[in-house]
Amino acid sequence: MRTTATATATAAPAPVLAPPGETQTVSVSELVLEYLKGEGVRAVFGLPGGPLSPLFDALYHEPSLRTITARHEGGAAFMALGYARVSGRLGACFVTTGPGATNAITGIAAAHADSLPVFTLTAQVATSTFGRGSIQDSYDRLDIVAMLKSVTKLSTMVANPHNLAMTLRQAIRQAMTGRRGPVHVNLPTDFMKKRVPCDLQLPHEYRPVSRAFDREAVKQAAEELFAARRPAILAGNGVNLAGAQAELLELAELFSIPVATTPKGKGAFPESHPLSLRVFGTASSPWSESILLEQGTDVLFVIGSGLHESSTQGWESRLKPSRSLLQLDIEPSVIGRNYPVAVPIVGDIKTTLRELLFHVRRLLALGEHRIETDGERLTDLKRASSPLLDEAAAHSDAVPIRPHRLMRALNAALPAAAIIFLDSGNNTLWGTHYLNATGRNVFVHNWGDFGAMGFGVAAAIGGKVAAPGRAVVAIVGDGAFAMNGMEVATAVAYDIPVVWVVLNDARLNAVHHGQTLLYEGRTIGCDFPRMDIAKIAEGLGAAGVRVVEPGAVGPALRAALASGRPTVLDVWIDADEVPPIHSRIRSIQKFFAGMAS
């Protein structure tokens, strides 16, 4: 729902019609919006401020762009990230100069870690005041362009309004090509109303769509897969970002290859499938650990993962296969970074897998190769063991609610195509291990590369804006909710029906259990008074529901989704249950000892 002022706004001014032979003009602010519209952006997240006001005035006149004002610039950046992740398009975030820009940095850094294309525009004080001590100057006293260079693919200031179109094309091209990521444009306020030529180009005119693949590497990969007897696939978040889930499934079924996903790759492969090993890395499944670490994989095909700490249990040496490691990624710099690679494959994941499937089927049709993988080991493993560390706890009716049981109740109540945002903390560990990926749903979290707390609280709002017809549920801890919970009010203001499931245990519990395991039971700085999160939600205008018994979880979630209202479920859980954190603790212990593997 738009604010009253926006709802009654007049139509956007048309480009000024120039005399014959001369160029039509638009304002700088209007040109920014035209480029975003051309990229399919349908919502802009941000907060207004004095230097940014001309751009927000342009938004007032642009009904095709929904303007969503967050409660904090960090929340706005997270929302733009969530929008980009779910839509696959550019996310847009507008914030003002000085503290508005610095507040947004964490969200921009999270987008950088997750390879998500977010266009952030920050205001700048007027050029006539540069170096004179203007309020909220982020030019010389606080160089916001320099600050954002390390967490963006491009960070630049517009030095001349007549160069704006070129700068916008450069920024969007960087954001949307190759390994995607955030970009930052800093725009002085005195430029925003200036009229410039309407130098507008369509996306295909200024940025390519990458469908690259390496034919020779594809042929080598096929030979290695044909030679494998005990192969496995480790699928990362790159599969999700490339939309290559169907190709991954087809490849796994063709060769009967067991598939594990990294924690951030959860959802790339349906965990109900007979070939699924569920998650490997932080919060691993026993099935994935058995196949990848204990039974001796001869060929490991890593798809869309840089094999960082949380994807490898701290670079576990046993993950290295006995014969060959194949690694496919769009980013060359991550290939071979942590494990020696026999066949490096650089290219678009979806296109490369299609080419690999085509080549393999051609060889099979010619009768030149046979598939001879050992399928019995996986059948025997699944017959003899559970994929969960504590399946009995998932059936417990104890009060306070055991987190294992909470996840089982969510599995039963979540729609098959739900979009699930996991915030960073204890909830990530419980959700990664115990929630089921159906193959139709989407899992989004920031744990691993960056791990920003409060991420899921706000990013879920952007996700719902991008997919209004799908259920969006954020699973967060009470510590993360305390950081960004005010964004519930944003969802209320714009009638965005996200459901937040808050694990309320009055602790920073991932840290608490980590300290307990590392320091002989000693903890410090982790506990705080239990918050009445249901009342906080009600105070923000949302529905707030306290849930204290396991049997109430499913009905409460179903009712929240059916209500069409922003709703917070305040779930009181057993704080003393230890999450599946042990591989992370082993990694930390190695780091303390100065060991990388």
Side-chain angles (χ1 to χ4, degrees), residues 186 196 237 250 326 353 421 494 507:
N186 187 235
V196 294
N237 193 38
E250 186 177 348
L326 323 178
L353 290 181
F421 284 81
Y494 296 96
R507 276 185 189 162

Side-chain angles (χ1 to χ4, degrees), residues 19 58 89 173 371 378 431 462-463 466 473 476 528 537 555 559 573 584:
R89 299 191 298 271
R173 184 165 52 245
I371 295 173
L378 182 57
V473 177
V476 305
F528 48 82
I573 64 166
R584 170 65 176 155

Side-chain angles (χ1 to χ4, degrees), residues 226 254-255 359-371:
F226 278 123
L254 182 60
F255 281 93
H359 183 64
V360 165
R361 291 192 186 281
R362 185 177 66 84
L363 294 177
L364 289 171
L366 292 172
E368 296 181 7
H369 291 78
R370 291 188 305 169
I371 295 173

Side-chain angles (χ1 to χ4, degrees), residues 309 314-315 584 586-597:
E309 179 201 341
W315 304 288
R584 170 65 176 155
R586 291 194 296 271
S587 295
I588 293 174
Q589 289 171 329
K590 287 189 290 186
F591 301 159
F592 289 162
M595 301 163 58
S597 61

Side-chain angles (χ1 to χ4, degrees), residues 234-239 262 265 302-307 327-330 334 349:
L234 180 59
N237 193 38
V239 175
T262 66
V302 177
I303 307 174
S305 171
L307 296 176
Q327 189 174 5
L328 165 60
D329 205 281
I330 197 169
V334 305
I349 291 173

